[in-house]
Amino acid sequence: NAGVTQTPKFQVLKTGQSMTLQCAQDMNHNSMYWYRQDPGMGLRLIYYSASEGTTDKGEVPNGYNVSRLNKREFSLRLESAAPSQTSVYFCASSDGPGYEQYFGPGTRLTVT
Amino acid sequence: QKEVEQNSGPLSVPEGAIASLNCTYSDRGSQSFFWYRQYSGKSPELIMFIYSNGDKEDGRFTAQLNKASQYVSLLIRDSQPSDSATYLCAPWDSSYKLIFGSGTRLLVRP
């Protein structure tokens, strides 16, 4: 089992460009999450999907959109990247709300 | 605003000592609590979770929970240099979202 995988691992964007971060899990988990982590800070929830077909905003959703493509895949889109979106992005999955979450390796994004 | 407070550290302990990591949280509705370890440049990995008041032991790790005081801690016995990392406390809030503290950096001196 690969667990939670994320692509790409690194990305550099110019201000205003768009991109999609991909996440997939092979643990048959119902719930999936996107977080960002800035230096010296904890993880902040961007969006989550409690189950296939549902998505909800987290703490910092502005500037992002998500798609729960199927039970395995959950993507995060930046429509018009801004320098404030420079961060490390982690995808996670869990059996459901309240259960332990397992994290992917992260995507390091720099917006210039 | 639901908050999770952790001392940022670094907490420095000698090899073989007990490291004590503390966390307080504001949401009285939180029912379950997770401790994650994060090495520099890596993703968080789950160490332990605890649901009930009291202590829960797993190998060298012991989690302690006091819901009345809104306090959760992690003890690491016989600390090793490989335990040097940032430890993140994360309670589930009452709307079933995981709220992360900013973490405590632990340094174990050989």
Side-chain angles (χ1 to χ4, degrees):
Chain A
N1 285 350
V4 181
T5 58
Q6 292 182 237
T7 56
K9 287 187 168 50
F10 301 93
Q11 184 71 47
V12 179
L13 292 177
K14 294 187 188 306
T15 296
Q17 287 184 318
S18 62
M19 79 161 295
T20 299
L21 281 63
Q22 306 287 355
C23 174
Q25 52 90 11
D26 62 3
M27 295 177 281
N28 200 34
H29 283 165
N30 293 307
S31 302
M32 298 185 73
Y33 311 84
W34 277 105
Y35 293 90
R36 61 177 287 174
Q37 187 175 36
D38 300 304
M41 296 183 69
L43 293 100
R44 291 184 293 169
L45 183 64
I46 305 171
Y47 270 95
Y48 67 102
S49 172
S51 61
E52 189 179 354
T54 68
T55 60
D56 286 288
K57 296 179 180 179
E59 181 186 355
V60 288
N62 290 344
Y64 305 95
N65 284 300
V66 291
S67 294
R68 183 74 182 266
L69 304 170
N70 48 55
K71 190 172 185 179
R72 289 188 63 246
E73 298 172 288
F74 189 37
S75 63
L76 178 72
R77 183 160 178 83
L78 287 70
E79 292 290 352
S80 179
S84 60
Q85 294 178 306
T86 292
S87 190
V88 180
Y89 291 85
F90 290 104
C91 177
S93 70
S94 71
D95 272 336
Y99 290 90
E100 58 270 28
Q101 293 184 8
Y102 296 91
F103 285 80
T107 294
R108 282 147 184 80
L109 175 67
T110 301
V111 183
T112 60
Chain B
Q1 179 78 8
K2 295 164 185 172
E3 293 183 347
V4 179
E5 299 287 339
Q6 294 183 259
N7 188 321
S8 60
L11 172 66
S12 181
V13 301
E15 184 174 354
I18 296 175
S20 178
L21 305 162
N22 304 315
C23 173
T24 59
Y25 59 94
S26 64
D27 186 356
R28 287 197 170 274
S30 295
Q31 294 297 319
S32 51
F33 304 83
F34 296 83
W35 281 99
Y36 285 83
R37 177 176 61 199
Q38 187 174 26
Y39 292 111
S40 181
K42 301 295 186 183
S43 58
E45 55 180 324
L46 181 70
I47 298 176
M48 288 193 70
F49 57 88
I50 185 168
Y51 301 120
S52 304
N53 277 329
D55 296 358
K56 179 182 178 183
E57 187 174 319
D58 184 1
R60 295 187 297 113
F61 298 96
T62 299
Q64 299 174 316
L65 174 60
N66 184 327
K67 290 184 182 179
S69 300
Q70 296 176 250
Y71 175 88
V72 59
S73 65
L74 180 70
L75 301 178
I76 306 175
R77 289 182 299 282
D78 188 23
S79 295
Q80 301 297 309
S82 59
D83 294 326
S84 297
T86 297
Y87 290 79
L88 304 171
C89 169
W92 278 102
D93 74 4
S94 47
S95 61
Y96 288 104
K97 290 191 281 292
L98 207 55
I99 308 296
F100 283 87
S102 56
T104 297
R105 190 164 144 241
L106 173 66
L107 295 175
V108 181
R109 309 187 303 272

